[in-house]
């Protein structure tokens, strides 16, 4: 359950990144020109580059984490093979520190060891399930999809309305979307929505205002 919540929270944050980065990009271009072609080109390029960047970054990060987890599990296997009695005592002490009596902790440690010593030590000592290690490909694909979904909203919001309404509609659509992602992120993280939502809204609004101002600089559209 906790793993699924972490993935969902990562997906929400990826969508939030897609919304903000793409919104800032297309608002800046739309501020400089009313021509649809450069807006579309910049938006699609930003979407693709951002999704690939998120995917690669997540793949590298999770691959490093997975390598570390595998190294820890390999070390645990060696320790179990070298001195099983010491490892049994170590497992007993772990459950003692969790509040069990010595006799109960010993019994629990012995039964878990008899059932699957490696899995018992991996869970108790390392907090890992050897059969459910992090998957870098899953992380990369999930990040790319969540970023793309988020980026599509400002891209459509800037392209569909008439030129005079493009930027106002995009501002409103993006801020509403950010309010939703900020609220969901706060709920998943168990934090206050009254704090999380304004932070997300201010960040998104600031990004769009800055890029809008850049597009208004004389000579930028030339």
């Amino acid at each position: 359950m906790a793993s699924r919540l972490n993935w969902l929270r990562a997906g929400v944050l990826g969508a939030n990144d897609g919304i903000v980065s793409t919104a800032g990009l297309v608002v800046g271009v739309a501020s400089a020109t009313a021509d649809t072609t450069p807006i579309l080109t910049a938006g699609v390029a930003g979407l693709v580059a951002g999704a690939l960047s998120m995917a690669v970054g997540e793949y590298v990060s999770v691959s490093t984490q997975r390598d570390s987890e595998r190294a820890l599990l390999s070390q645990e296997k060696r320790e179990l093979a070298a001195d099983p009695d010491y490892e049994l005592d170590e497992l007993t002490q772990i459950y003692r520190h969790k509040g069990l009596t010595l006799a109960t902790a010993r019994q629990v440690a012995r039964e878990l060891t008899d059932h699957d010593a490696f899995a018992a030590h991996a869970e108790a000592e390392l907090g890992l399930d050897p059969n459910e290690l992090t998957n870098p490909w899953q992380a990369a694909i999930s990040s790319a999809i969540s970023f793309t979904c988020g980026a599509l909203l400002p891209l459509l919001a800037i392209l569909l309305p008439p030129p005079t309404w493009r930027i106002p509609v995009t501002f409103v659509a993006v801020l509403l979307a950010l309010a939703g992602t900020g609220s969901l992120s706060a709920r998943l993280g168990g934090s206050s929505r009254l704090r999380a939502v304004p932070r997300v809204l201010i960040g998104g609004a600031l990004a769009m205002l800055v890029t809008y101002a850049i597009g208004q600089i004389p000579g930028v559209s030339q």
Side-chain angles (χ1 to χ4, degrees):
M1 181 64 178
S3 176
R4 284 195 293 270
L5 284 176
N6 286 334
W7 280 113
L8 182 56
R9 188 180 301 115
V12 172
L13 294 176
N16 188 81
D17 288 344
I19 293 170
V20 174
S21 61
T22 306
L25 183 60
V26 296
V27 165
V29 178
S31 174
T33 178
D35 190 352
T36 301
T37 300
I39 299 174
L40 176 61
T41 302
V44 172
L47 185 156
V48 173
L52 290 176
S53 176
M54 289 283 291
V56 171
E58 197 69 15
Y59 180 84
V60 171
S61 174
V62 174
S63 293
T64 301
Q65 178 184 343
R66 187 183 179 92
D67 290 344
S68 298
E69 291 171 347
R70 283 176 169 171
L72 290 171
L73 291 172
S74 295
Q75 180 180 347
E76 192 61 40
K77 278 186 177 180
R78 292 193 297 270
E79 291 175 352
L80 280 167
D83 195 345
D85 291 336
Y86 175 83
E87 292 298 310
L88 178 62
D89 291 339
E90 187 176 38
L91 192 59
T92 300
Q93 291 304 314
I94 289 174
Y95 288 107
R96 280 276 288 153
H97 291 153
K98 291 185 177 182
L100 300 182
T101 63
L102 177 58
T104 302
R106 189 70 173 184
Q107 182 66 23
V108 170
R110 190 176 297 280
E111 290 185 9
L112 289 174
T113 298
D114 291 341
H115 175 69
D116 189 336
F118 177 55
H121 281 267
E123 190 279 329
E125 291 185 46
L126 307 175
L128 297 174
D129 183 341
N131 298 317
E132 294 186 7
L133 297 183
T134 51
N135 187 323
W137 283 109
Q138 182 184 25
I141 293 171
S142 298
S143 295
I145 291 174
S146 63
F147 184 95
T148 299
C149 291
L152 283 173
L153 183 140
L155 184 57
L156 293 175
I158 203 79
L159 293 174
L160 295 179
T164 55
W165 286 95
R166 281 174 176 167
I167 293 177
V169 168
T170 302
F171 262 84
V172 173
V174 166
L175 293 179
L176 288 175
L178 290 177
T181 59
S183 177
L184 181 55
S185 179
R187 181 179 179 182
L188 293 173
S191 59
S192 171
R193 295 183 185 181
L194 294 177
R195 293 181 180 178
V197 173
R199 284 199 298 260
V200 175
L201 291 177
I202 292 171
L206 184 61
M208 289 187 288
L209 288 171
V210 170
T211 55
Y212 176 83
I214 292 173
Q216 292 291 300
I217 298 174
V220 168
S221 61
Q222 299 302 317

